[in-house]
């Protein structure tokens, strides 16, 4: 994501210089807001850039979908997550996609560009919404399976809403964690209860590696913390299911008491993208309450070798055609041990960002140029991934649904799927995995 998004921003800046030449000292946001010409120029460019923009799709299931944010323990040691759930009605407004300007500042840090560029990101993406009803009341009277979702490197809790929406529309509760290990583009907490009441946020931004830091050690420490954060979030949600009096540190309309008796406690799974895929593997090795795991384009670099033999639960790898590489696939195959359920498919013509919402943020031409979209239609790729996931979840969570109609997708039986992988690992020299830092990885 980083190289592609960086190119997009450079192209945007190049267009700006043709229309309204400037130097860096001119980029004072407060000063520029006084210039009607400047504002008109930016708005015109953003309108052109977003022309043909697709929308984040609605879930394909029969349930209406609600969405809220939950923060338990206002400090940076607590849990912060976005919750997607079956809802009672569609009367509430759609959910803001990236809800705070500080996240765009965090994205600029991930991209390694001047912080002023956060304003361009905010203008480009700030008005987007996702089709889940914000703080809509939960549909009660039914117990739902629970999915804990882990985001990629440089991402945040909100940008996998297409997956969250679809799973919730099929009767799941999805808890998308925002990690506090320095791998999120940004996240926030409150210093104490009084600042939480006032809404005075303290922000943590993406942690860049120092020159003297060994990346393998840093990423391994992060993936271990991420796994603990997933288990901690699961603890809190199950406590709410028991009716424990836990307060949401965020002052939102959604009443957490609705979660009482809402979770099927024997039907809990994990899904994650890229760094989140590694987090799935780490979490399953430590917490047997996760009955199975789905790793979307998993980035295996953060995992230590001892993890591979400690995962009896079923694992499903759904890969893009363009992201994977031999050393990564070799590590995945180390998980293929006797009497362990392991499945892998590859989506033809797909790229790494076909699993996150950025694939829906631009039109087809711009999306393909900057690797946010693949050759395959983004909706088709997401639909294949979600249906294969639902079939796998039904099989290993023991669901009484009709998701088994998509069992063939688990085996890669579709014209847009490759059974296993497209990567040839024969005779490959196994070297240390090299990181190419990017949003989602």
């Amino acid at each position: 994501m980083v190289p592609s998004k960086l190119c997009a921003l450079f192209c945007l800046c190049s267009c700006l210089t043709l229309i309204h030449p400037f130097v860096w000292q001119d980029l004072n946001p407060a000063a520029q807001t006084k210039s009607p010409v400047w504002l008109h120029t930016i708005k015109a460019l953003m309108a052109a850039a977003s022309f043909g923009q697709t929308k984040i799709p609605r879930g394909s299931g029969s349930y209406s979908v609600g969405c809220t944010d939950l923060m338990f323990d206002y400090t940076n040691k607590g849990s912060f997550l976005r919750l997607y759930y079956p809802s009672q009605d569609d009367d509430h407004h759609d959910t803001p996609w990236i809800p705070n300007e500080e996240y765009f500042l965090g994205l600029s840090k991930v991209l390694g560009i001047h912080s002023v560029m956060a304003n361009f990101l905010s203008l480009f993406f700030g008005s987007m919404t996702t089709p889940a009803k914000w703080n809509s009341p939960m549909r009660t009277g039914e117990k739902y399976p629970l999915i804990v979702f882990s985001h990629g490197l440089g991402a945040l809790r909100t940008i996998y809403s297409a997956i969250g929406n679809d799973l919730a529309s099929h009767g799941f509760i999805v808890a998308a964690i925002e990690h506090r290990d320095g791998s999120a583009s940004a996240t926030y907490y409150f210093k104490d209860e009084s600042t939480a009441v006032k809404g005075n946020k303290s922000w943590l931004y993406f942690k860049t590696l120092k020159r003297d830091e060994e990346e393998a050690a840093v990423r391994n420490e992060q993936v271990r913390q991420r796994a603990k954060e997933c288990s901690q979030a699961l603890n809190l949600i199950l406590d709410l299911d028991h009716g424990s009096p836990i307060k949401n540190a965020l002052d939102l309309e959604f009443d957490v008491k609705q979660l009482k008796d809402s979770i099927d406690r024997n039907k809990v799974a994990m899904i994650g993208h890229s760094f989140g895929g590694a987090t799935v593997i780490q979490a399953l090795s430590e917490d047997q309450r996760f009955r199975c795991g789905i790793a979307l384009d998993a980035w295996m670099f953060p995992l230590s070798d001892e993890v591979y033999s400690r995962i009896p639960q079923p694992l499903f790898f759904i890969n893009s055609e363009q992201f994977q590489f031999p050393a990564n696939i070799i590590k995945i195959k180390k998980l293929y041990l006797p009497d362990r359920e392991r499945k892998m498919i590859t989506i033809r013509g797909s790229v790494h960002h076909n699993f996150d919402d950025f694939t829906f943020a631009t039109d087809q031409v711009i999306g393909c140029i900057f690797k946010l979209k693949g050759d395959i239609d983004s909706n088709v790729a997401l639909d294949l991934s979600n249906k294969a996931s639902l079939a796998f979840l039904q099989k290993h969570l023991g669901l009484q649904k009709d998701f088994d109609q998509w069992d063939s997708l688990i085996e890669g039986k579709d014209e847009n799927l490759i059974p296993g992988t497209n990567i040839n690992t024969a005779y490959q020299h196994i070297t240390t995995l090299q990181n190419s830092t990017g949003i989602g990885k």
Side-chain angles (χ1 to χ4, degrees):
M1 176 80 177
V2 166
S4 59
K5 200 61 184 174
L6 187 55
C7 291
L9 287 168
F10 280 155
C11 288
L12 176 59
C13 293
S14 299
C15 294
L16 281 172
T17 58
L18 293 174
I19 301 171
H20 183 85
F22 62 91
V23 293
W24 283 107
Q25 296 94 302
D26 295 329
L27 289 178
N28 182 324
Q32 298 300 346
T33 56
K34 299 176 183 177
S35 169
V37 175
W38 175 261
L39 284 177
H40 176 75
T41 299
I42 291 178
K43 288 178 180 178
L45 282 168
M46 292 305 160
S50 60
F51 179 75
Q53 201 176 50
T54 55
K55 293 183 178 180
I56 297 170
R58 292 183 177 277
S60 61
S62 60
Y63 291 87
S64 298
V65 177
C67 181
T68 193
D69 284 335
L70 301 176
M71 184 184 291
F72 305 122
D73 180 355
Y74 45 80
T75 72
N76 61 358
K77 303 299 183 184
S79 294
F80 190 18
L81 57 92
R82 176 153 285 192
L83 198 73
Y84 303 90
Y85 53 88
S87 66
Q88 292 183 21
D89 57 61
D90 284 331
D91 292 339
H92 289 59
H93 62 76
D94 282 350
T95 297
W97 184 49
I98 299 179
N100 303 91
E101 291 183 0
E102 288 83 354
Y103 285 110
F104 297 107
L105 177 58
L107 289 170
S108 73
K109 291 179 181 294
V110 177
L111 294 165
I113 58 175
H114 197 286
S115 60
V116 172
M117 290 301 147
N119 296 308
F120 293 107
L121 288 171
S122 181
L123 283 167
F124 191 77
F125 295 120
S127 63
M128 282 186 65
T129 59
T130 187
K133 299 305 176 181
W134 184 238
N135 291 320
S136 178
M138 178 179 284
R139 177 173 169 170
T140 56
E142 186 175 346
K143 287 185 176 292
Y144 303 107
L146 174 67
I147 304 295
V148 175
F149 191 97
S150 175
H151 65 69
L153 183 66
L156 57 146
R157 72 189 186 283
T158 71
I159 66 167
Y160 296 91
S161 65
I163 294 175
N165 290 341
D166 196 60
L167 289 171
S169 77
H170 285 94
F172 290 81
I173 291 176
V174 181
I177 309 294
E178 189 159 283
H179 292 292
R180 262 76 175 273
D181 62 323
S183 67
S185 61
T187 188
Y188 66 86
Y189 65 98
F190 301 102
K191 290 182 178 179
D192 51 45
E193 190 169 358
S194 64
T195 59
V197 171
K198 296 174 183 176
N200 294 334
K201 302 178 181 69
S202 294
W203 285 88
L204 294 171
Y205 290 102
F206 180 74
K207 176 185 176 182
T208 56
L209 292 175
K210 299 175 183 177
R211 288 187 177 182
D212 60 344
E213 287 185 306
E214 182 187 354
E215 183 173 12
V218 172
R219 300 305 183 204
N220 184 251
E221 182 180 355
Q222 286 180 315
V223 79
R224 290 173 186 272
Q225 180 177 333
R226 284 166 146 258
K228 287 179 171 56
E229 289 173 344
C230 292
S231 291
Q232 177 176 274
L234 175 57
N235 291 338
L236 289 163
I237 293 171
L238 294 181
D239 284 346
L240 287 169
D241 175 68
H242 266 317
S244 300
I246 301 173
K247 182 181 178 182
N248 187 2
L250 305 175
D251 185 19
L252 296 176
E253 177 186 349
F254 183 84
D255 185 357
V256 295
K257 293 178 181 178
Q258 297 174 89
L259 288 166
K260 183 179 180 181
D261 298 324
S262 65
I263 306 294
D264 192 330
R265 303 169 71 89
N266 294 317
K267 294 176 172 58
V268 179
M270 262 203 75
I271 303 178
H273 177 228
S274 201
F275 201 173
T279 307
V280 168
I281 295 165
Q282 184 72 39
L284 264 64
S285 76
E286 298 177 1
D287 194 336
Q288 297 298 309
R289 293 176 299 174
F290 294 115
R291 296 275 303 279
C292 62
I294 301 174
L296 308 175
D297 239 5
W299 180 46
M300 303 295 288
F301 178 73
L303 296 167
S304 56
D305 288 340
E306 71 269 11
V307 169
Y308 294 98
S309 62
R310 298 204 311 244
I311 308 165
Q313 305 99 309
L315 282 171
F316 187 21
F317 295 91
I318 305 179
N319 295 336
S320 71
E321 189 171 12
Q322 297 299 318
F323 172 74
Q324 292 296 330
F325 48 99
N328 207 57
I329 294 296
I330 288 169
K331 287 215 164 193
I332 289 174
K333 288 186 174 180
K334 288 172 67 175
L335 289 157
Y336 281 61
L337 299 173
D339 301 321
R340 306 284 172 90
E341 176 78 3
R342 305 289 185 255
K343 295 292 184 180
M344 186 194 306
I345 58 173
T346 301
I347 303 174
R348 294 184 189 273
S350 60
V351 296
H352 198 49
H353 293 284
N354 276 125
F355 298 102
D356 63 51
D357 293 343
F358 279 107
T359 193
F360 300 105
T362 57
D363 67 11
Q364 186 66 30
V365 175
I366 299 298
C368 286
I369 291 172
F370 300 125
K371 305 298 184 184
L372 300 178
K373 297 177 184 285
D375 295 332
I376 190 172
D377 180 270
S378 293
N379 285 283
V380 172
L382 182 76
D383 189 58
L384 285 168
S385 178
N386 287 345
K387 286 179 176 176
S389 296
L390 288 168
F392 186 80
L393 292 168
Q394 169 154 326
K395 180 179 179 181
H396 296 291
L397 296 183
L399 306 178
Q400 301 301 313
K401 299 282 188 178
D402 63 352
F403 305 152
D404 55 348
Q405 64 182 300
W406 301 307
D407 278 353
S408 61
L409 299 181
I410 302 174
E411 307 299 330
K413 295 179 180 179
D414 184 272
E415 63 180 359
N416 289 308
L417 295 177
I418 300 169
T421 179
N422 61 309
I423 301 298
N424 182 7
T425 59
Y427 309 113
Q428 289 291 332
H429 177 61
I430 305 174
T431 59
T432 303
L433 287 175
Q434 299 297 316
N435 174 45
S436 177
T437 302
I439 296 170
K441 184 174 290 182

